[in-house]
């Protein structure tokens, strides 16, 4: 449904997006992660047709955005980072305007408006002018306009920004339901959101796509950097030696704690049962107080990718 | 067509839900009323000729207030992002907005019809000349709107858009005066051809010249084409 092939965007001599390629299928929600200025919004704007790529190809619902952006726009819903609202219009007039442009027929207009108003919980503000709305409601009106016309492709740039926890949960549910029948690309800073609703995650930094995989896949791919943390009543040097002798342990950092305790952080290879081997070795000689396998969170994975590229850029 | 109509309707709601349309129409009516009273009752001549001339200059100073927000407002409100990603062709956006502004011009023009009541009650005006004057006024207004709309698309700042439009329109109004300072017949002809006021004078005198009609329509076409091309290039 969404396909980017070697897409590059330059402003003058500055390259904002470098050779990015990925796709999003129907019924799939893909989370788009990256720090501020990573190129998420520019990528989304290119998919939405607000700006054109310098080179490469963007297709939406099989239509090339360079030649058929008008037709593609009919099958696309887009919520930009700042909801595009006309302050002097009331909510219904605004939604009616967008629906009309999207080609919603007169006889289907009211039911379509009712559908998005109910989905985004806007019933209480339908007659209110947009400038009188709170930030949360403004965001939801922006989402409602994106959902109008039941688009095949939905692009959401930080859709839950400015919402309270209850509204965030409701909005996620709307996106999840909508994502069952459409291709959704969702940019966010909230990592748990990605884990909760996205089937795949794309990580972007410095305009380059660093990784794209399922949240679990990304976590597993970085499992070789897993740590096993132990605390025991032991002598630091001997503990370190014993741990380094365990198969699968690649490095050990030992720190002394109060009450004659020692903390050892073991870097281990990705293999099952290693915790048990470490526990056996330690328990034979000392008293083991704590043993914990530290799984990489999506946040750790994200930060590792982002930091790696930042370091590479600095080195270059 | 649906797109043009949707944009047009949105523009009309925006005009009448903000004070700008009421302000512009009121100031224009007050100004026109003053000039009409001065020209007709002070001189005792029952024609609209001098009033039309004053209306032309008043229009040039008020048009930037109508056009300044057309695109600048979309940029600052970040709604241009919506328009460019909706299934709308760029020319539909440009034309829908233009028709909205044109409606305000027509409202302004029709409102001045109130001056005709005493003119017909107490005088013996020439209907054909008045009609021709109104046609010229609307055509010149259309050209001014198109120029103002184009300048509004060049900047995010509405005040800057208005500040660029006013001198450009004044230049088109006064360019005919430069004829007196030119020896070259080519330049004299060019300045005369470009002059809004000289073409308008023909209409005021009751002359419906196709050259003048074509001139104003050509200005509209050029300005709206530039407007559309600039917005497409901006993508």
């Amino acid at each position: 449904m969404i396909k980017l092939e070697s897409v590059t965007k330059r402003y003058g001599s500055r390259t904002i997006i470098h050779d990015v390629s990925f796709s999003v299928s129907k019924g799939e929600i893909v989370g788009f992660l990256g720090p501020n200025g990573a190129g998420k919004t520019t990528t989304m704007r290119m998919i939405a047709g607000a700006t054109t790529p310098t080179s490469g190809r963007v297709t939406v619902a099989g239509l090339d955005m360079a030649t058929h952006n008008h037709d593609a726009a009919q099958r696309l819903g887009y919520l930009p980072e700042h909801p595009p609202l006309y302050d002097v219009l009331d909510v219904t007039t605004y939604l009616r305007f967008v629906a009309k442009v999207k080609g919603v027929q007169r006889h289907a207009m009211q039911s379509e408006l009712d559908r998005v108003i109910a989905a985004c919980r806007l019933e209480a503000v339908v007659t209110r002018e947009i400038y009188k709305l709170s930030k949360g409601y403004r965001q939801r009106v922006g989402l409602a306009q994106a959902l109008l016309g039941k688009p095949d492709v939905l692009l959401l740039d930080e859709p839950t920004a400015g919402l309270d926890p209850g509204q965030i949960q409701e909005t996620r549910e709307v996106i999840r339901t909508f994502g069952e029948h459409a291709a959704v690309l969702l940019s966010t800073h909230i990592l748990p959101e990605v884990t909760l609703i996205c089937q795949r995650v794309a990580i972007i930094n410095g305009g380059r796509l660093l990784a794209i995989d399922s949240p679990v896949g990304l976590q597993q791919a970085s499992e070789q950097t897993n740590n096993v943390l132990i605390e025991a009543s032991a002598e630091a040097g001997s503990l370190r030696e014993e741990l380094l002798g365990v198969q699968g342990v690649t490095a050990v950092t030992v720190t002394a704690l109060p009450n004659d305790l020692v903390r050892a952080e073991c870097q281990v290879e990705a293999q099952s049962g290693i915790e048990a081997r470490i526990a056996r070795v330690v328990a034979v000689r000392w008293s083991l107080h704590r043993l914990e396998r530290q799984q990489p969170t999506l946040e750790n994975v994200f930060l590792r990718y982002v930091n790696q590229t930042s370091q590479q850029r600095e080195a270059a | 067509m649906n797109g043009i109509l949707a944009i047009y309707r949105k523009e009309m709601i925006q005009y009448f839900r903000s004070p700008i349309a009421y302000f512009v129409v009121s100031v224009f009516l007050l100004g026109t009323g003053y000039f009409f009273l001065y020209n007709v009752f002070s001189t005792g001549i029952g024609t609209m000729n001098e009033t039309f001339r004053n209306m032309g200059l008043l229009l040039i100073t008020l048009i930037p207030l109508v056009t300044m927000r057309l695109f600048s407002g979309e940029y600052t409100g970040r709604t241009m992002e919506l328009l460019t990603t909706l299934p709308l062709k760029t020319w539909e956006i440009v034309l829908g907005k233009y028709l909205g502004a044109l409606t305000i011009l027509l409202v302004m023009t029709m409102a001045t019809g109130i001056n005709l009541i005493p003119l017909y009650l107490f005088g013996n005006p020439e209907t054909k000349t008045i009609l021709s004057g109104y046609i010229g006024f609307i055509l010149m207004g259309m050209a001014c709107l198109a120029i103002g709309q184009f300048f509004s698309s060049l900047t995010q700042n509405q005040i800057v858009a208005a500040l660029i439009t006013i001198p450009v329109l004044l230049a088109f109004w006064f360019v005919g005066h430069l004829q007196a300072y030119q020896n070259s017949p080519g330049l004299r002809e060019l300045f005369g051809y470009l002059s809004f006021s000289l073409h308008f004078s023909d209409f005021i005198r009751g002359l419906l010249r196709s050259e003048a009609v074509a001139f104003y329509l050509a200005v509209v076409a050029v300005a709206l084409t530039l407007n559309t091309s600039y917005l497409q290039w901006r993508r």
Side-chain angles (χ1 to χ4, degrees):
Chain A
M1 274 286 164
I2 305 173
K3 197 171 178 190
L4 280 84
E5 294 165 85
S6 303
V7 169
T8 296
K9 178 73 183 177
R10 287 191 204 94
Y11 287 111
S13 59
R14 229 157 47 97
T15 305
I16 308 294
I17 302 294
H18 301 259
D19 196 26
V20 166
S21 302
F22 69 90
S23 59
V24 183
S25 320
K26 190 175 180 176
E28 187 181 33
I29 304 177
V30 173
F32 207 26
L33 293 183
N36 288 327
K40 299 189 298 288
T41 297
T42 307
T43 308
M44 286 219 164
R45 292 186 77 234
M46 284 193 289
I47 301 169
T51 186
T52 49
T54 312
S55 65
R57 191 161 169 238
V58 179
T59 44
V60 168
L63 298 159
D64 191 334
M65 288 304 283
T67 51
H68 294 86
N69 67 330
H70 183 263
D71 298 325
Q74 273 170 332
R75 305 180 64 179
L76 195 141
Y78 175 42
L79 170 63
E81 194 178 354
H82 302 275
L85 307 172
Y86 293 102
D87 282 349
V88 294
L89 303 189
D90 60 79
V91 172
T92 308
T93 308
Y94 171 74
L95 293 176
R96 197 181 291 275
F97 159 68
V98 176
K100 206 169 174 185
V101 174
K102 281 189 172 180
V104 175
Q105 296 299 311
R106 191 188 288 257
H107 63 85
M109 180 67 79
Q110 198 51 52
S111 61
E112 183 62 4
L113 293 182
D114 291 344
R115 183 183 71 82
V116 296
I117 285 167
C120 300
R121 302 277 167 96
L122 292 169
E123 294 92 341
V125 295
V126 282
T127 55
R128 208 174 291 172
E129 280 94 349
I130 290 171
Y131 74 89
K132 291 179 182 165
L133 299 183
S134 66
K135 197 179 176 200
Y137 269 123
R138 290 173 70 88
Q139 192 72 18
R140 284 148 78 181
V141 175
L143 179 64
Q145 67 77 21
L147 297 177
L148 279 167
K150 299 189 184 112
D152 297 322
V153 169
L154 193 59
L155 304 170
L156 304 171
D157 203 347
E158 299 186 28
T160 53
L163 302 183
D164 65 40
Q167 292 169 339
I168 288 176
Q169 210 164 7
E170 285 168 11
T171 306
R172 280 180 193 155
E173 206 43 55
V174 171
I175 298 167
R176 205 200 309 266
T177 312
F178 198 84
E180 287 168 10
H181 311 286
V184 182
L185 184 62
L186 168 93
S187 136
T188 181
H189 285 300
I190 308 165
L191 292 159
E193 191 161 277
V194 173
T195 323
L196 283 170
I197 60 172
C198 299
Q199 281 94 39
R200 284 195 299 152
V201 184
I203 298 177
I204 187 171
N205 192 24
R208 287 186 166 84
L209 186 70
L210 306 178
I212 180 160
D213 203 345
S214 66
V216 176
L218 284 173
Q219 285 164 318
Q220 280 171 351
S222 64
E223 238 180 12
Q224 54 268 49
T225 61
N226 278 4
N227 282 352
V228 173
L229 181 84
I230 64 162
E231 284 176 17
S233 315
E235 193 271 313
S238 325
L239 179 65
R240 189 169 181 278
E241 268 175 41
E242 285 286 350
L243 288 170
L244 281 170
V246 177
Q247 192 200 344
V249 175
T250 53
V252 178
T253 317
V254 185
T255 357
L257 296 176
N259 304 326
D260 294 330
L261 279 178
V262 172
R263 175 184 293 159
E265 277 180 53
C266 311
Q267 257 185 35
V268 297
E269 288 167 1
Q271 47 183 279
S272 58
I274 198 158
E275 297 96 318
R277 286 203 296 278
I278 291 173
R280 269 199 301 275
V281 167
V282 177
V284 168
R285 287 182 62 186
W286 302 288
S287 144
L288 181 63
H289 291 254
R290 181 180 170 198
L291 187 143
E292 183 186 321
R293 180 150 191 155
Q294 295 182 306
Q295 290 285 349
T297 59
L298 187 58
E299 194 169 348
N300 290 337
V301 174
F302 169 70
L303 289 172
R304 193 170 66 86
Y305 274 113
V306 169
N307 291 338
Q308 258 177 14
T309 44
S310 301
Q311 282 162 9
Q312 280 165 4
R313 275 190 0 222
E314 276 166 26
Chain B
M1 201 62 193
N2 242 359
I4 298 177
L5 272 178
I7 294 279
Y8 172 77
R9 277 201 54 184
K10 173 194 78 84
E11 287 297 317
M12 292 318 295
I13 297 170
Q14 278 185 295
Y15 274 122
F16 288 103
R17 285 200 186 164
S18 70
I20 201 88
Y22 301 102
F23 175 78
V24 169
V25 174
S26 311
V27 170
F28 184 70
L29 267 184
L30 282 172
T32 309
Y34 168 77
F35 290 126
F36 176 77
L37 286 174
Y38 180 81
N39 292 329
V40 175
F41 290 98
S42 306
T43 60
I45 304 167
T47 70
M48 281 287 282
N49 291 13
E50 205 48 46
T51 307
F52 272 134
R53 210 174 298 279
N54 299 137
M55 275 166 64
L57 200 53
L58 191 58
L59 181 75
I60 275 178
T61 53
L62 287 175
I63 282 287
L65 294 180
V66 179
T67 58
M68 65 182 191
R69 60 149 205 92
L70 285 173
F71 283 99
S72 305
E74 301 278 0
Y75 298 147
T76 45
R78 297 175 192 263
T79 42
M80 201 61 203
E81 193 95 337
L82 177 73
L83 297 184
T84 51
T85 55
L86 282 174
L88 283 167
K89 295 200 167 79
T90 312
W91 64 265
E92 290 181 318
I93 303 172
V94 169
L95 213 54
K97 282 180 170 286
Y98 182 70
L99 291 176
L102 183 58
T103 306
I104 300 295
L105 173 72
L106 293 177
V107 169
M108 286 161 74
T109 312
M110 283 194 290
T112 62
I114 198 161
N115 296 330
L116 300 179
I117 298 170
L119 201 64
Y120 276 94
L121 280 179
F122 305 112
N124 189 22
E126 277 185 50
T127 305
K128 277 183 187 169
T129 315
I130 290 175
L131 270 179
S132 156
Y134 269 117
I135 291 170
F137 177 78
I138 291 168
L139 282 169
M140 191 183 72
M142 285 169 69
C144 294
L145 286 176
I147 291 171
Q149 180 168 318
F150 168 60
F151 284 120
S152 174
S153 72
L154 299 183
T155 170
Q156 297 207 353
N157 190 320
Q158 296 189 32
I159 307 294
V160 172
L163 289 178
I164 304 171
T165 308
I166 291 173
V168 171
L169 294 184
L170 285 174
F172 271 111
W173 180 264
F174 288 112
V175 72
H177 292 272
L178 292 177
Q179 278 183 313
Y181 306 101
Q182 289 302 321
N183 290 325
S184 151
L187 276 178
R188 269 212 303 274
E189 201 173 320
L190 178 71
F191 289 143
Y193 184 72
L194 289 177
S195 170
F196 277 12
S197 55
L198 289 182
H199 289 298
F200 188 37
S201 297
D202 291 342
F203 286 100
I204 294 171
R205 281 187 283 134
L207 290 174
L208 258 175
R209 288 170 57 234
S210 54
E211 186 193 328
V213 175
F215 168 72
Y216 285 130
L217 293 181
V219 173
V220 172
V222 169
L224 294 187
T225 307
L226 284 174
N227 193 173
T228 309
S229 308
Y230 174 74
L231 291 174
Q232 273 165 350
W233 173 82
R234 222 174 165 263
R235 279 188 172 184

